[in-house]
Amino acid sequence: MVTLEEALRAHTFHYGRCRVDVGPRGGAQHQIEAWRRAGATKTWKTRPGEFRVPLRHGLWASAELNHANAHLFHAAENCPLFVSGLQVHGAVEGWLGRTDQGRFLAGGWERGGQVVAVELTLA
């Protein structure tokens, strides 16, 4: 979820859930839908909790991030895949935990005893 402070300072936002797909040979591929800022953040004095950020994705797609849809986005600097130096190399081992902002749960699917896909979600 994007807060007002993140909307004011961040340049790139990720939409939806970011995930890492680990192939049958151990190659990791990041699945991230990144939207970049296309203008200044609009705020109102009479409505302090509301904001609006114009966004661009690719060459043609445009949208806006606002207080109503902020739960669908997160700032790129707070992406669950990269927070705390988390890096995925080949197969992911064990469970990941974090207690200060929430908890990251790593769930995987197995095919022949090998983890082939891992999703990290903020719970």
Side-chain angles (χ1 to χ4, degrees):
M1 174 165 182
V2 176
T3 63
L4 176 60
E5 292 79 26
E6 290 173 338
L8 290 170
R9 76 179 187 319
H11 184 268
T12 305
F13 301 94
H14 294 171
Y15 176 76
R17 291 193 309 183
C18 297
R19 69 176 202 260
V20 176
D21 292 336
V22 181
R25 295 184 182 166
Q29 211 175 35
H30 294 93
Q31 302 295 327
I32 298 172
E33 186 175 327
W35 290 74
R36 66 188 183 279
R37 176 186 297 275
T41 301
K42 173 72 176 164
T43 58
W44 293 268
K45 290 183 181 180
T46 57
R47 297 172 287 177
E50 297 184 12
F51 60 90
R52 183 175 65 210
V53 181
L55 299 175
R56 298 280 297 168
H57 177 67
L59 293 175
W60 310 108
S62 63
E64 78 174 25
L65 166 64
N66 57 39
H67 61 281
N69 65 4
H71 66 282
L72 299 173
F73 291 87
H74 60 271
E77 62 212 24
N78 296 333
C79 185
L81 298 181
F82 304 113
V83 166
S84 300
L86 172 67
Q87 296 179 6
V88 178
H89 298 286
V92 176
E93 298 176 355
W95 294 93
L96 307 171
R98 186 181 163 118
T99 57
D100 55 340
Q101 289 184 359
R103 191 172 158 185
F104 297 108
L105 302 174
W109 296 269
E110 289 189 6
R111 181 176 8 164
Q114 182 180 8
V115 176
V116 293
V118 175
E119 278 190 22
L120 300 175
T121 58
L122 182 62

